[in-house]
Amino acid sequence: MVRIRTHDHLNTPLGEHMNDDNRQGQLPIDLPGLPRLFTIPQLAEYFGVSVRTVEGWNSRGGGPRSVKIGRHVRYTEDSIREYLASRSVT
């Protein structure tokens, strides 16, 4: 059996497809002037890849630019958008 993965989630604004249970580590409110932060599991879910794939990007330097807060890795919306733009195929 072949499973076909659709990418409908790529057409929704970042974070909109995630329910509150998936927002762990994200600020509960938007703070003006500060970027929204996404965790590794959130990024993996958004891209439809495994958490191990995203962790591999971090260790090998691929994927969106990340921000380290202590031992925690986070991604800003801007870094995700920049990565997507850099991967566009024309």
Side-chain angles (χ1 to χ4, degrees):
M1 180 174 160
V2 176
R3 181 176 177 192
I4 299 173
R5 182 181 299 238
T6 62
H7 296 286
D8 294 335
H9 62 281
L10 295 178
N11 296 322
T12 61
L14 292 175
E16 220 175 73
H17 70 284
M18 294 182 245
N19 62 36
D20 289 335
D21 295 334
N22 294 334
R23 294 178 187 267
Q24 181 182 15
Q26 188 174 348
L27 293 174
I29 57 173
D30 288 329
L31 297 175
L34 294 178
R36 290 182 58 196
L37 301 176
F38 293 86
T39 64
I40 288 175
Q42 290 170 332
L43 186 67
E45 179 184 345
Y46 182 73
F47 281 142
V49 299
S50 71
V51 168
R52 291 190 80 174
T53 296
V54 177
E55 290 170 342
W57 291 342
N58 283 324
S59 65
R60 290 186 296 276
R65 288 180 298 119
S66 60
V67 176
K68 286 208 67 174
I69 303 170
R71 294 183 300 160
H72 304 282
V73 176
R74 298 291 185 263
Y75 299 88
T76 64
E77 280 188 74
D78 287 342
S79 70
I80 297 168
R81 291 181 197 284
E82 289 168 8
Y83 177 74
L84 289 173
S86 74
R87 305 294 295 174
S88 295
V89 177
T90 56

